[in-house]
Amino acid sequence: MSATVPLDPARPVTTTALRAMKDARRPIVMVTAYDTPSARLCDEAGVDAILVGDSLGMVVLGHGSTLPVTMDDMLRHTAAVVRGTKRALAIADLPFMSFQVSAEDTLRNAGRFLVESGAAAVKLEGGMRVASTVRRLVDAGIPVMGHIGRTPQSVNQFGGYKVQAKESAAALELLDDAHALEDAGAFAVVLECIPAELAAMVSAELQIPTIGIGAGAGCDGQVQVYHDVLGMGEFTPKHAKRYAEVGAVIRSAMEAYANEVRDGAFPADEHGSRMEPTAVAEVERLRERGIHAVDAGEEA
Ligand code: KIV
């Protein structure tokens, strides 16, 4: 079977299927999506997993970071993605402060994504410090994807969006984080913006799949942000590749639409409907006599 073909194209992807893909050395394809039509297109294209990332805040809602994203934002967009998804595994990001306050709060918040939005799993940022949280969620039947390296919710601690774990001490710490997540029961872990050599080491040491973004080709899969893949963002991050210029296509379609409205070329006859000429004549006759809807019945 070709590496470009999913394990079983007819079957919905499960967390255990991702593990089987790692074992079969079949690269896992994950992408973010935030609404029904884009999820449908990703699903039809055969991606294995769709992440409703809290990147929602930056690429869709216009915030400067992921920190303002709320539970309500994530629940609504996750439900929209699930409605557009038939085969791909739908994973919801736990937003900032939804899993830090208390164990009870975390469990309730994570559970809402499965119960109210229909997601199959949640993702949360952090390594050793969230291992007990991951264990608690997994024990409650909530599959968890970990996320380590350049975790955007920690942007204020990192002092910007920088590649992480370039030095040996930090690299060792990241390896410990990865093992802690696996030991806690995570079904996969995202490795974001870490050196390729380190990501390859993590991928070799873990039994669970690693999904890289800016972490080189040695991961078990890759994740990209929808708008980056399509060339719809204001800029393209170093770790992304534009596979299309959809932004340019949208802009030129909008210009063409605006021009046609302004010069009267749109709408044409075929874009609307018409009344029977007798009905038009009747309306004109009644209006001439000052008759309104309320008294039209009497007149007839
Ligand atoms: O929020 C997001 O989109 C993410 C991915 C980039 C991994 O966390």
Side-chain angles (χ1 to χ4, degrees):
M1 219 192 297
S2 147
T4 59
V5 176
L7 215 53
D8 181 346
R11 277 195 160 181
V13 179
T14 59
T15 55
T16 49
L18 296 190
R19 175 73 169 262
M21 290 173 79
K22 175 175 176 128
D23 295 343
R25 296 184 185 282
R26 187 179 303 273
I28 296 163
V29 183
M30 181 159 112
V31 70
T32 69
Y34 314 96
D35 59 37
T36 305
S38 27
R40 187 175 298 125
L41 293 171
C42 297
D43 197 61
E44 286 168 3
V47 307
D48 302 304
I50 299 180
L51 171 68
V52 190
D54 62 354
S55 49
L56 167 79
M58 299 175 83
V59 295
V60 173
L61 303 181
H63 295 303
S65 77
T66 60
L67 303 183
V69 175
T70 64
M71 275 295 295
D72 284 348
D73 292 333
M74 290 303 301
L75 286 166
R76 185 173 307 112
H77 285 270
T78 302
V81 163
V82 169
R83 286 193 287 274
T85 306
K86 286 194 181 129
R87 179 188 162 273
L89 184 76
I91 304 160
D93 230 349
L94 293 188
F96 184 56
M97 294 315 290
S98 69
F99 59 96
Q100 289 91 344
V101 177
S102 72
E104 212 176 285
D105 206 38
T106 303
L107 197 53
R108 192 175 306 109
N109 284 334
R112 289 184 70 189
F113 284 102
L114 274 66
V115 175
E116 297 175 32
S117 299
V122 298
K123 174 173 86 57
L124 57 79
E125 295 184 8
M128 281 176 284
R129 68 187 165 82
V130 298
S132 59
T133 302
V134 172
R135 169 52 62 202
R136 212 171 294 116
L137 296 180
V138 171
D139 283 348
I142 301 171
V144 179
M145 173 177 269
H147 182 170
I148 52 178
R150 191 192 73 172
T151 44
Q153 291 175 12
S154 304
V155 59
N156 292 319
Q157 275 170 329
F158 293 153
Y161 297 101
K162 302 172 188 160
V163 172
Q164 297 296 305
K166 284 170 104 171
E167 310 301 332
S168 56
L172 287 172
E173 208 174 300
L174 186 129
L175 279 157
D176 286 350
D177 281 334
H179 281 285
L181 290 169
E182 176 166 278
D183 294 346
F187 70 87
V189 58
V190 169
L191 304 177
E192 177 166 344
C193 292
I194 61 168
E197 302 87 336
L198 176 60
M201 269 185 238
V202 175
S203 307
E205 287 189 18
L206 295 192
Q207 306 294 308
I208 58 172
T210 59
I211 313 287
I213 175 164
C219 298
D220 302 305
Q222 298 293 326
V223 56
Q224 286 288 302
V225 168
Y226 182 84
H227 296 69
D228 293 342
V229 173
L230 295 180
M232 289 171 77
E234 276 180 83
F235 73 101
T236 305
K238 183 171 182 289
H239 57 70
K241 178 173 169 184
R242 296 164 87 102
Y243 286 84
E245 292 302 329
V246 173
V249 171
I250 293 174
R251 193 176 304 109
S252 95
M254 286 301 162
E255 281 167 7
Y257 165 60
N259 288 339
E260 289 205 353
V261 170
R262 290 181 185 128
D263 67 20
F266 180 86
D269 246 18
E270 73 262 28
H271 301 119
S273 57
R274 288 197 167 271
M275 293 165 79
E276 288 298 326
T278 49
V280 178
E282 177 69 353
V283 174
E284 284 169 352
R285 186 183 68 80
L286 293 171
R287 293 306 282 175
E288 270 163 23
R289 299 177 58 187
I291 293 180
H292 293 264
V294 281
D295 37 37
E298 270 168 45
E299 166 70 14

Coordinates of all heavy atoms in Angstrom, one line a residue, residues 148 164-179 194-195 197-199 201-202 205:
I148 N 4.1 19.7 23.4 CA 5.3 20.2 24.1 C 6.2 20.9 23.1 O 5.9 20.8 21.9 CB 6.1 19.1 24.9 CG1 6.4 17.9 23.9 CG2 5.3 18.7 26.1 CD1 7.2 16.8 24.6
Q164 N 12.2 26.0 20.7 CA 12.5 25.6 22.1 C 13.5 24.4 22.1 O 13.6 23.7 21.1 CB 11.2 25.2 22.8 CG 10.2 26.3 23.0 CD 10.8 27.5 23.8 OE1 11.2 27.3 25.0 NE2 10.7 28.7 23.3
A165 N 14.1 24.2 23.2 CA 14.9 23.1 23.5 C 16.1 22.9 22.6 O 16.4 21.8 22.2 CB 14.1 21.8 23.5
K166 N 16.8 24.0 22.3 CA 18.0 23.9 21.4 C 19.2 23.5 22.2 O 20.2 23.0 21.6 CB 18.2 25.3 20.8 CG 17.3 25.6 19.6 CD 17.4 27.0 19.1 CE 18.1 27.1 17.8 NZ 18.0 28.5 17.3
E167 N 19.2 23.8 23.5 CA 20.4 23.4 24.3 C 20.2 22.1 24.9 O 19.0 21.6 25.1 CB 20.6 24.5 25.5 CG 20.6 25.9 25.0 CD 21.7 26.2 24.0 OE1 22.7 25.5 24.0 OE2 21.5 27.1 23.2
S168 N 21.3 21.4 25.3 CA 21.1 20.0 25.8 C 20.3 19.8 27.0 O 19.5 18.9 27.1 CB 22.5 19.4 26.0 OG 23.2 20.2 26.9
A169 N 20.4 20.8 28.0 CA 19.6 20.6 29.2 C 18.1 20.7 28.9 O 17.3 19.9 29.4 CB 20.0 21.7 30.2
A170 N 17.7 21.7 28.1 CA 16.3 21.8 27.7 C 15.9 20.6 26.9 O 14.7 20.2 27.0 CB 16.1 23.1 27.0
A171 N 16.7 20.1 26.1 CA 16.4 18.9 25.3 C 16.1 17.7 26.1 O 15.1 17.0 25.9 CB 17.5 18.6 24.3
L172 N 16.9 17.5 27.2 CA 16.7 16.4 28.1 C 15.4 16.6 28.8 O 14.7 15.6 29.0 CB 17.9 16.3 29.1 CG 19.2 15.8 28.5 CD1 20.3 15.9 29.5 CD2 19.1 14.3 28.1
E173 N 15.1 17.8 29.2 CA 13.9 18.1 29.9 C 12.7 17.8 29.0 O 11.7 17.2 29.4 CB 13.9 19.6 30.3 CG 13.0 19.9 31.5 CD 13.2 21.3 31.9 OE1 14.3 21.8 32.2 OE2 12.2 22.0 31.9
L174 N 12.8 18.1 27.7 CA 11.7 17.9 26.8 C 11.5 16.4 26.6 O 10.4 15.9 26.5 CB 12.0 18.5 25.4 CG 10.8 18.4 24.5 CD1 10.4 19.8 23.9 CD2 11.1 17.4 23.4
L175 N 12.6 15.6 26.6 CA 12.5 14.1 26.5 C 11.7 13.6 27.7 O 10.8 12.7 27.6 CB 13.9 13.5 26.4 CG 14.5 13.5 25.0 CD1 16.0 13.4 25.0 CD2 13.9 12.4 24.1
D176 N 12.0 14.2 28.9 CA 11.3 13.7 30.1 C 9.8 14.1 30.0 O 9.0 13.3 30.4 CB 11.9 14.4 31.4 CG 13.3 13.8 31.7 OD1 13.6 12.8 31.2 OD2 14.0 14.4 32.6
D177 N 9.6 15.3 29.5 CA 8.2 15.7 29.3 C 7.4 14.7 28.4 O 6.3 14.3 28.7 CB 8.1 17.1 28.6 CG 8.4 18.2 29.6 OD1 8.1 18.1 30.8 OD2 8.8 19.3 29.2
A178 N 8.1 14.4 27.3 CA 7.4 13.4 26.3 C 7.1 12.1 27.0 O 6.0 11.6 26.9 CB 8.3 13.2 25.1
H179 N 8.1 11.6 27.8 CA 7.8 10.3 28.5 C 6.8 10.4 29.5 O 5.9 9.5 29.7 CB 9.1 9.8 29.1 CG 10.0 9.1 28.1 ND1 9.8 7.9 27.6 CD2 11.1 9.6 27.4 CE1 10.7 7.6 26.7 NE2 11.5 8.6 26.5
I194 N 10.7 22.5 17.7 CA 12.0 22.1 18.4 C 12.9 21.5 17.3 O 12.5 21.3 16.2 CB 11.6 20.9 19.4 CG1 11.0 19.7 18.7 CG2 10.7 21.5 20.5 CD1 10.9 18.5 19.7
P195 N 14.2 21.4 17.6 CA 15.1 21.0 16.6 C 14.8 19.6 16.1 O 14.3 18.7 16.8 CB 16.5 21.0 17.3 CG 16.3 21.9 18.5 CD 14.9 21.8 18.9
E197 N 16.6 17.1 15.2 CA 17.3 15.9 15.8 C 16.6 15.5 17.1 O 16.5 14.3 17.4 CB 18.8 16.3 16.2 CG 19.6 16.8 15.0 CD 19.5 18.3 14.8 OE1 18.5 18.9 15.2 OE2 20.4 18.8 14.2
L198 N 16.2 16.5 17.9 CA 15.5 16.1 19.1 C 14.1 15.5 18.9 O 13.8 14.5 19.5 CB 15.3 17.4 20.0 CG 14.6 17.3 21.3 CD1 15.3 16.3 22.2 CD2 14.5 18.7 22.0
A199 N 13.4 16.0 17.9 CA 12.1 15.5 17.6 C 12.3 14.0 17.1 O 11.4 13.1 17.4 CB 11.4 16.3 16.5
M201 N 14.6 12.0 18.0 CA 14.9 11.2 19.3 C 13.6 10.9 20.0 O 13.4 9.7 20.4 CB 15.8 12.0 20.2 CG 17.3 11.8 20.0 SD 18.2 12.7 21.2 CE 19.2 13.7 20.2
V202 N 12.8 11.9 20.2 CA 11.5 11.7 20.9 C 10.7 10.6 20.2 O 10.2 9.7 20.8 CB 10.7 13.0 21.0 CG1 9.4 12.7 21.7 CG2 11.5 14.0 21.8
E205 N 12.0 7.2 20.8 CA 11.9 6.6 22.2 C 10.4 6.3 22.5 O 10.2 5.4 23.4 CB 12.5 7.7 23.2 CG 14.0 7.7 23.1 CD 14.6 8.5 24.2 OE1 13.9 8.8 25.3 OE2 15.8 8.9 24.1

